[in-house]
Amino acid sequence: MTKPWPVGDPALLAPVEEHEDLRAVIRKVLERHAPHPRVREVADSPLGYAPELWALLNSELGVSALAAPESRGGLGFGTRELGVVLEECGRALISEPVLSSAVLGFKRFWPPTTTWWTTCSDRR
């Protein structure tokens, strides 16, 4: 019998209080700075996103560096936390390049250093 992919502990994806706190912060920021009429207006603009919201998400919350390791200049959280942010961005229907920037930012740190890879593996 083949094992489903990925093999891992399902508890790793279980909600924890810190994720709910992060979710509440992101939701509050997006409710304040990205109401639905503004989101529609921005999505139809030539740029396609609001530079002021994008700057806020990065300067105040660091969403692009969220999953990147601290040793490489990121915030050192992980993909679970990034997932929480992406869920809230999807809920608000914003068109800011959160996913692409986080992935490209993470790719900047690849391949991982031995120290970083060992540290991430030890967390599991």
Side-chain angles (χ1 to χ4, degrees):
M1 181 173 162
T2 60
K3 293 184 178 183
W5 182 89
V7 177
D9 183 4
L12 291 174
L13 296 176
V16 293
E17 186 176 342
E18 291 82 10
H19 292 165
E20 295 310 312
D21 293 343
L22 175 61
R23 182 180 309 283
V25 167
I26 297 294
R27 185 173 290 183
K28 186 175 182 178
V29 167
L30 293 177
E31 284 174 350
R32 175 174 284 153
H33 297 282
H36 288 295
R38 175 73 178 140
V39 169
R40 287 186 186 121
E41 176 187 322
V42 166
D44 289 335
S45 72
L47 189 55
Y49 67 92
E52 60 279 355
L53 176 59
W54 184 231
L56 175 72
L57 290 172
N58 283 295
S59 65
E60 297 294 323
L61 302 172
V63 296
S64 292
L66 196 66
E70 286 181 275
S71 63
R72 306 293 297 266
L75 296 179
F77 288 100
T79 54
R80 292 182 296 166
E81 291 78 9
L82 179 60
V84 170
V85 171
L86 292 173
E87 284 176 358
E88 288 305 309
C89 290
R91 180 181 178 275
L93 300 174
I94 65 169
S95 57
E96 279 61 27
V98 178
L99 175 62
S100 58
S101 296
V103 170
L104 291 174
F106 192 78
K107 186 174 174 150
R108 175 177 175 243
F109 301 109
W110 199 263
T113 61
T114 304
T115 305
W116 174 72
W117 188 254
T118 304
T119 303
C120 287
S121 298
D122 291 344
R123 288 184 190 170
R124 296 177 191 219

